[in-house]
């Protein structure tokens, strides 16, 4: 029996929504980028948690910090004003800093937190 995790179902639904927006409605391109980022994040979560693809661990925080930026830009573009690259590119500093942290500040080792069985017996 086919079993799909909820994040994978979410990614599929968002994929169909992207196709509908592309074929039927005239929307700003940032809407398609935002929906694609959400679908990609759902797919990454499904692949990490349910299928054990640990290669995507560094990608997940970057996409997680990119989604709020894209949500804000989508709201601004759809309802208030067009994108102004000089002002709106400042929002991309957060995902950029996340990439910097992943590359140059790896997570600390947690080996000091684990006690060996010999030290616990003493």
């Amino acid at each position: 029996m086919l079993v799909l995790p909820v994040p994978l179902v979410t990614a599929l639904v968002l994929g169909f929504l992207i196709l509908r927006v592309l074929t039927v409605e005239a929307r700003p391109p940032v809407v398609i980028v935002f929906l694609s980022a959400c679908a990609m994040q759902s797919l990454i979560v499904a692949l990490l948690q349910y299928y054990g693809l640990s290669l995507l661990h560094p990608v997940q925080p970057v996409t997680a910090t990119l989604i709020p930026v894209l949500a804000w830009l989508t709201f601004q573009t759809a309802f208030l004003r067009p994108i102004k690259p000089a002002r709106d590119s400042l929002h991309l500093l957060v995902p950029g800093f996340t990439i910097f942290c992943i590359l140059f500040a790896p997570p600390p080792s947690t080996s000091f937190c684990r006690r060996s069985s010999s030290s616990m017996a003493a």
Side-chain angles (χ1 to χ4, degrees), residues 41-113:
Q41 179 70 13
S42 294
L43 183 63
I44 289 171
V45 168
L47 291 174
L48 277 171
Q49 290 184 354
Y50 296 100
Y51 298 109
L53 190 62
S54 62
L55 181 69
L56 295 174
H57 271 291
V59 178
Q60 188 177 15
V62 176
T63 57
T65 58
L66 188 63
I67 289 176
V69 171
L70 291 175
W72 176 251
L73 293 177
T74 302
F75 172 73
Q76 290 285 317
T77 304
F79 296 112
L80 301 176
R81 61 172 175 81
I83 290 180
K84 294 180 182 175
R87 180 170 58 179
D88 293 333
S89 62
L90 290 175
H91 295 290
L92 295 175
L93 289 176
V94 174
F97 183 69
T98 305
I99 292 171
F100 172 79
C101 289
I102 289 171
L103 293 176
F104 297 109
S109 174
T110 57
S111 62
F112 66 89
C113 294

